[in-house]
Amino acid sequence: MSSGQPFATALADLLGRIEHARAAAVQPAPSTTLVAVSKTHPAERILPILDAGHRVFAESRVQEARVKWGPLLSAYRGVELHLIGPLQTNKVRDAVRLFDVIESLDRPKLAEALKEEFSSHDRQPDLFIQVNTGNEPQKAGVAIQDVPDFISFCRDHLALPVRGLMCIPPLNQPAAPHFALLQKLAREARLPLLSMGMSGDFEAAIKFGATHVRIGSALFGARDA
Ligand SMILES: *Cc1c(COP(=O)(O)O)cnc(C)c1O
């Protein structure tokens, strides 16, 4: 595994599949960005993707991202890093320093902590609100019925830069109804961005207007952890 060629080829294949799905969709989003989910994968696997010109990546954990991406961000210009995992309020400072987009805004306390942190920074990452479209008790995300109020709290009351919605559908259900629901909620709130679709279901997400697909294993292979 010394050569990065397989990863560069996987990237080209994946971008082709995304284009295909967009071409087949009746009403795709104006653009669909591949967010390459590099969590658990070492820098050696990320480098070939960077060298192939890709710049949008996501990580689940602040600490892992800081250690891994510190050197990569110094070496490569124009990287856009997304946080897609749960964010503890005591990690907000580190997260705001490192990430360009935080996709896991899911509770008032976190919204207030972000607001507070933004006031002492030039940096202000774009935000997605995570919606628990399956209303699963163990899963992060705002409950469906609370979404309009929470958007209004974040965007109108706190003036946070909320750009879109994000969801992770339940594992054991067809994903399409969840994508349809997220699209409807975003439309009603006039939010332009939709982060939905992973390795197994991004083509369906594109049908429902995904602007961002978060793809890990289809690009980097299976995760050990
Ligand atoms: C890990 C992860 C992904 C990527 O999942 P794959 O199935 O490997 O593509 C996408 N979104 C979130 C929130 C994740 O935690």
Side-chain angles (χ1 to χ4, degrees):
M1 289 291 286
S2 58
S3 163
Q5 196 53 42
F7 296 115
T9 304
L11 174 66
D13 286 352
L14 195 50
L15 290 171
R17 286 175 66 192
I18 290 170
E19 270 326 299
H20 231 85
R22 286 178 52 78
V26 177
Q27 245 186 350
S31 68
T32 304
T33 300
L34 167 62
V35 181
V37 179
S38 52
K39 68 184 183 196
T40 77
H41 296 297
E44 304 87 82
R45 286 202 178 183
I46 301 172
L47 284 167
I49 308 292
L50 283 163
D51 286 333
H54 193 72
R55 287 296 179 267
V56 186
F57 292 85
E59 291 281 341
S60 282
R61 293 161 188 266
V62 177
Q63 180 62 17
E64 177 188 341
R66 214 165 55 145
V67 171
K68 202 161 68 184
W69 280 94
L72 294 173
L73 292 174
S74 313
Y76 290 83
R77 297 262 144 230
V79 171
E80 178 182 305
L81 207 53
H82 293 225
L83 177 65
I84 57 171
L87 177 56
Q88 312 294 316
T89 48
N90 64 1
K91 301 253 174 67
V92 160
R93 176 154 302 176
D94 286 343
V96 168
R97 281 208 188 108
L98 182 62
F99 290 97
D100 303 287
V101 180
I102 294 173
E103 298 200 18
S104 46
L105 173 54
D106 64 352
R107 58 198 192 280
K109 231 185 119 172
L110 178 58
E112 283 163 348
L114 286 164
K115 177 73 184 175
E116 171 81 21
E117 190 58 33
F118 287 178
S119 63
S120 56
H121 266 276
D122 295 339
R123 281 181 63 81
Q124 187 161 300
D126 281 345
L127 303 173
F128 285 69
I129 289 172
Q130 183 174 350
V131 180
N132 188 354
T133 56
N135 277 344
E136 296 173 282
Q138 82 287 4
K139 199 171 259 176
V142 181
I144 297 164
Q145 67 274 15
D146 297 336
V147 167
D149 283 351
F150 187 62
I151 292 172
S152 160
F153 174 72
C154 294
R155 187 176 55 183
D156 308 329
H157 181 68
L158 296 179
L160 288 171
V162 176
R163 307 286 183 233
L165 301 180
M166 180 271 242
C167 76
I168 310 168
L171 273 177
N172 52 351
Q173 289 178 23
H178 295 272
F179 299 149
L181 172 62
L182 201 71
Q183 180 183 45
K184 175 171 169 287
L185 292 168
R187 268 198 191 135
E188 286 167 358
R190 298 179 178 276
L191 290 172
L193 303 182
L194 277 173
S195 173
M196 55 189 197
M198 315 197 331
S199 292
D201 55 20
F202 69 88
E203 277 132 332
I206 286 170
K207 268 193 213 159
F208 291 97
T211 62
H212 294 75
V213 289
R214 309 179 309 270
I215 298 179
S217 42
L219 181 56
F220 292 103
R223 286 178 292 275
D224 308 326

